[in-house]
Every structure is written in C-alpha cells, then in structure tokens.
Amino acid sequence: MMNDDAIAAFRASLRGELIEPGDASYEEARKVYNRMIERRPRLIVRCADVADVMAAVKFGREQKLLVAIRCGGHNAGGLGVCDDGLVIDLSRMNYVRVDPKKKTVQVGGGALWRDVDHATHAFGLAVPSGIISTTGVAGLTLGGGLGYLARRYGLTIDNLLAVEMVLADGRFVTASAKENSDLFWAVRGGGGNFGVVTSFLFKGQPVHTVYGGPMFWPLEDAAEMMRWYRDFIVKAPDDVYGFFAFHTIPPVAPFPERFHLKKMCGIVWCYTGPIKKAEKVFKPIRKKAAAIDLVGPIPHPALQSLFDGLYPPGMQWYWKADFVRTLPDEAIVQHVKHAETLPTLQSTMHLYPINGVAGRVKRGATAWWHRDANWTEVIVGVDPDPAKKEEISAWAKEYWSALHPYSAGGAYINFMMDEGEERIRATYGKNYKRLAKIKKRYDPGNLFRVNQNIRPK
Ligand SMILES: Cc1cc2nc3c(=O)[nH]c(=O)nc-3n(C[C@H](O)[C@H](O)[C@H](O)COP(=O)(O)OP(=O)(O)OC[C@H]3O[C@@H](n4cnc5c(N)ncnc54)[C@H](O)[C@@H]3O)c2cc1C
C-alpha cells in the first residue's frame, strides 16, 4: 500500500502535475477518446519533461503499481489508462521541431498528429501518419502507423530514425539503427511494451498540397466498385493512395442534400504526385462516375483533419480488425451485405491499403510482420449514445466474423481491443519470438503491460 508520505515525496519531485481522485481535473484527466472504456486510476502524472517521466517510472516500479502510458488517449482498447494504478500522461510534452536542412522532425512523446502536421507543413514536409489529426503520435507510431502516405513513403515506423526512451529500470536511452538497435527494431511495431518514449525523430517527406478527398457511389454499385478497387489499387503507382469505405453520408455541407443519411460506398483518395498531372491520373478513376466527387487539390493537413469533426472524442467505439491479402468475390458479397446494415451514422468499415512502399519493406526489418498483406481492415461500431453500445458491438462482431475466414491472420494492434495472446502472436508471426526476447532484456518484470502485451521470455 502506498502511504501519503510516498505520494507527497513523488509530487514534490515533479515539475508536472500529479492528479488524484477528488481533484478538480481528475474526471477530465482520466477520460479517453473511446467512452466505452471507463477506468479510474489511483494517480495520473502529467509529466513536464524527461526527469518527470524518470521519476514516474521509478515510483510506479517501487510502489508496484500497474502502469499505463498515455499520449493521445485514442487507443481502441483504451490502453492509455488503467484502473487503480498510475497513468504516465505525456500530453504536455507535445513539442515539434523541424530541421529544414536535414529534413528531420523531432516530436515530443505526448504530441498529436495535428501538432506535427502544423509544424511540418510550413516547411513543405509531412511525416506519414494516419487519417485523423487528433490521434497521438506515440501510440500510432509504436503500433506501426498507416495512412494516406503509406503507399508512397511507407508506414510511420518506416520513417522513424530514432527514439529516446525511459526504460523499466529507469535508464534513459536512445534507440536507432546505430544505438540499441534491437530496441529500435522492437519499437517499430511492438507498441508500448519496451518503455516510455519521450521523443521521436522522424524523416520528413516532401508533401505539401496533395490531390485528394472522398468519392462516393450508391450501395447498389458497391460490389462492382469493390471489385474494381481491389484490382486497381494493388497495381496503382505508389503516388496514388485510396482507402475503401462504407459510410452513412453526414447531413452537412459539402455533401449534396439528396444523399444525406444515405448508406454509400466510397474511396478516399490522396495523390502525392505532381498536381499538374492529377487530372490526367484521375481520368480513368472518374470514368467510374461517382455520385459524390469531392476530390481536388487540398493541403495535406486539411486532408488529415477532414474527418475530425465526424469523430469527436467521447463516443462509444467497438473495434474489430484483420489483415487482408486478397478480396475474393465471396468476401465482397459479405461486405456489401453488412454495409446495408450499418447501424449508426458514424459506424463504418475501412480497408486501408498497405502495399506500395509499405509492402516492399522486408518482414524481418521491423517488428511489423504482415508486410505481405494488401490491406488493414477495420470495422467499427460507433455512436455517441451509451445505450447503443450492445447494438454497435453486435454489428461489428457479426460483420467481422463473416469476413474473418478470408483474412490473413492477426490484426493491426492499434485497431484491437482485448482479444487475448493468440491474436497478438498471430499479429507478429515469426517476429514474436524475437520480440519476447527483447522484452525480457528491457522489461523482464513486465512493468509495461497495459498494452497488446508481449510477455518477456
Ligand atoms: C478516430 C481514430 C482514427 C484512427 N486512425 C488511424 C489511422 O489512420 N492509422 C493508424 O495507424 N491508426 C489509427 N488509429 C489507431 C491509433 O493508431 C491507435 O488508437 C493508437 O493507439 C493511438 O495512439 P494514442 O497515442 O492516441 O493512444 P494512447 O491511448 O494515448 O496510447 C495507446 C498505447 O500506446 C502506448 N503509448 C502511448 N504513448 C506512449 C509513449 N510515449 N511511450 C510508449 N508507449 C506509449 C501505450 O502502450 C498505450 O497503451 C485511429 C484511432 C482512432 C480513435
């Protein structure tokens, strides 16, 4: 049992804030993005700097507390918070420094992607990330990171040059290709298993204004569009990216009123080649005559934040995911069947392509195993109303079960809720054994276990 003196000494050692149940900021501080997750930690430490992180890790270890690490709080399974234990919250450490000469970007361990996009855009650079700007840099990166730039520049981890981190024993280390290279291999896909990352060093890519946005077609055309998309995207040049989606059209501009609240299928595009060539590149795509076409030149940060408004924090989310190599016609039949029953406005299915540059990295080069998959599939039941929890969860489970037999095994760890060890092993394939060994070397006592956990072995 912690005594008050220990807590007081810990508080006195910090430049940041220590929040306890009963404090005015506690209720807000414990909340995560997915409101299906409600956890009540004993302590939340909002670290101001690396010294605070070192003090927090030491305190958590010495007091034998369950320790969760939090950056953006977006994790599917709510793994940025825990019951009773200590939350190490890095959200105050959200600096971004761009080196325009070296084209590198240094990012604090608590930053959000919108912080990075804002800072890099001024220099005509971008770091490959996801499709929503409010997600945390740390959780997304450590799990792999897939989004609009994946076909052109790879996953987020493929653009990571180094991390600085605090290990379970309190040491502060750098991991890169040259220093602690085993640790650097493991953090590129292995999640928060190995320590608290206090800073990331990324390669910035030359991305400024892209040609992108959504196109939608009626659900009656979904099977044909999905077949066309399947064949198109695996052969498309690396600078053409498009993820496939089922959505209910939100009743807001710029969507034409006649489509409001209609279930439709869509592709959200991001072309990163020369803008003057974009119209020509999109000529064959436009032959598919989308009912809604909102694609055009758009600054990269604007595309990144296009859907932020549709997905504010605080809703109920039930997540199911898989990796997918091929999309046979029978799988497409199942997809369309379940799209017809999308239960709520925000519920959706996305197929994110992870081929192109992301797919050409060798399987053993980083902890991320499924380099041969063409897509990451995610099915999410989403709604603001807690009373819809059962309905959206049942829909997502049912949909996923129908498609799972066509999947490649394993799922992107950042899209998983609590699915057990077998699923984690399937996700890492033959990389799992090496990950378990590295975990034993750097965190033998499994201090960092509020994550998709790799047991030390
Ligand atoms: C609306 C939405 C859209 C998304 N879109 C995408 C997408 O396009 N592409 C994509 O790849 N993913 C996407 N994701 C998934 C996202 O990558 C994960 O939810 C990720 O875990 C979020 O990171 P976070 O830092 O916000 O999470 P948090 O909940 O803060 O943390 C998640 C986990 O990451 C680890 N962690 C966090 N910070 C640190 C740190 N500093 N050091 C060590 N470990 C740490 C911990 O283990 C923690 O349990 C999306 C999620 C949401 C909710």
Side-chain angles (χ1 to χ4, degrees):
M1 281 295 279
M2 273 182 301
N3 62 41
D4 290 348
D5 291 346
I7 295 176
F10 178 39
R11 188 190 303 279
S13 75
L14 299 168
R15 280 199 76 128
E17 209 183 337
L18 189 64
I19 304 167
E20 295 191 66
D23 289 350
S25 54
Y26 178 79
E27 284 306 318
E28 208 44 49
R30 76 174 180 85
K31 279 184 193 157
V32 286
Y33 179 85
N34 181 358
R35 207 53 53 75
M36 210 179 264
I37 313 289
E38 287 284 351
R39 296 195 181 120
R40 305 190 69 82
R42 173 67 186 85
L43 293 168
I44 301 168
V45 51
R46 284 228 171 107
C47 298
D49 56 18
V50 174
D52 277 359
V53 176
M54 290 165 89
V57 169
K58 182 168 182 277
F59 183 78
R61 190 184 63 244
E62 287 178 356
Q63 298 294 330
K64 297 191 173 25
L65 292 170
L66 185 62
V67 173
I69 316 167
R70 179 194 175 116
C71 171
H74 264 228
N75 188 263
L79 295 170
V81 66
C82 59
D83 272 328
D84 303 324
L86 170 71
V87 174
I88 302 180
D89 178 338
L90 281 92
S91 56
R92 281 181 63 174
M93 296 169 63
N94 63 348
Y95 63 85
V96 182
R97 274 196 296 273
V98 180
D99 183 330
K101 278 196 194 126
K102 290 188 186 153
K103 299 200 179 345
T104 57
V105 187
Q106 179 127 29
V107 182
L112 305 182
W113 281 107
R114 65 178 176 210
D115 303 323
V116 177
D117 294 338
H118 181 264
T120 55
H121 190 64
F123 295 96
L125 297 172
V127 177
S129 57
I131 62 146
I132 293 258
S133 82
T134 54
T135 311
V137 171
L140 181 138
T141 302
L142 297 170
L146 47 100
Y148 288 120
L149 303 179
R151 299 194 77 249
R152 178 85 193 262
Y153 296 113
L155 302 175
T156 309
I157 48 171
D158 303 329
N159 293 271
L160 186 61
L161 299 171
V163 291
E164 290 175 340
M165 55 199 288
V166 177
L167 302 177
D169 64 8
R171 274 183 300 147
F172 176 70
V173 297
T174 298
S176 68
K178 287 193 184 141
E179 250 178 290
N180 298 305
S181 57
D182 56 346
L183 189 56
F184 186 54
W185 178 86
V187 296
R188 285 177 293 161
N193 272 283
F194 304 94
V196 186
V197 175
T198 54
S199 119
F200 294 85
L201 182 67
F202 294 105
K203 202 190 297 176
Q205 299 292 358
V207 176
H208 187 269
T209 298
V210 301
Y211 191 87
M215 287 182 185
F216 286 100
W217 291 263
L219 220 45
E220 301 83 71
D221 298 339
E224 188 205 322
M225 279 314 301
M226 218 169 182
R227 286 195 296 267
W228 174 83
Y229 166 80
R230 164 192 71 189
D231 299 337
F232 173 83
I233 202 69
V234 294
K235 293 193 201 121
D238 292 349
D239 53 15
V240 176
Y241 175 95
F243 74 82
F244 193 92
F246 291 117
H247 270 284
T248 305
I249 303 301
V252 289
F255 299 106
E257 240 180 271
R258 66 184 186 284
F259 297 116
H260 285 180
L261 298 175
K262 278 216 165 10
K263 294 178 172 97
M264 298 184 88
C265 73
I267 302 173
V268 185
W269 299 101
C270 176
Y271 167 70
T272 47
I275 286 288
K276 56 181 188 299
K277 285 197 182 159
E279 297 287 342
K280 201 170 154 205
V281 170
F282 273 72
K283 227 173 172 177
I285 297 170
R286 290 214 155 95
K287 283 204 177 121
K288 302 310 290 178
I292 303 173
D293 181 346
L294 299 172
V295 180
I298 180 168
H300 177 256
L303 182 63
Q304 280 284 105
S305 52
L306 213 57
F307 301 106
D308 290 5
L310 184 62
Y311 293 109
M315 295 196 289
Q316 305 281 307
W317 285 71
Y318 193 87
W319 296 71
K320 290 298 284 181
D322 266 322
F323 285 117
V324 177
R325 273 191 211 109
T326 56
L327 262 177
D329 290 354
E330 310 86 82
I332 290 179
V333 169
Q334 290 300 326
H335 270 294
V336 176
K337 184 177 148 197
H338 289 85
E340 284 161 0
T341 60
L342 280 168
T344 58
L345 175 68
Q346 285 100 344
S347 296
T348 184
M349 187 290 300
H350 287 177
L351 272 174
Y352 300 112
I354 44 172
N355 42 33
V357 171
R360 291 199 287 274
V361 176
K362 287 214 174 76
R363 276 181 151 181
T366 64
W368 175 286
W369 173 253
H370 281 271
R371 294 284 184 175
D372 61 337
N374 273 309
W375 293 276
T376 290
E377 171 199 281
V378 65
I379 298 164
V380 278
V382 189
D383 197 75
D385 183 359
K388 294 262 175 70
K389 181 176 165 177
E390 301 305 328
E391 185 189 345
I392 58 174
S393 307
W395 173 81
K397 281 185 214 166
E398 211 320 278
Y399 189 163
W400 177 85
S401 302
L403 268 303
H404 185 61
Y406 305 99
S407 73
Y412 179 33
I413 61 156
N414 277 345
F415 291 161
M416 274 160 70
M417 297 183 80
D418 187 3
E419 301 191 21
E421 197 182 343
E422 279 316 303
R423 283 281 279 170
I424 299 169
R425 281 176 181 269
T427 295
Y428 291 114
K430 288 192 181 147
N431 283 343
Y432 188 87
K433 235 174 151 177
R434 186 173 174 198
L435 279 165
K437 264 195 195 153
I438 298 172
K439 174 80 173 174
K440 188 171 177 191
R441 181 159 180 214
Y442 290 98
D443 183 15
N446 207 2
L447 178 68
F448 303 115
R449 60 183 179 279
V450 183
N451 44 42
Q452 299 297 347
N453 197 229
I454 294 158
R455 305 246 166 90
K457 210 163 178 188

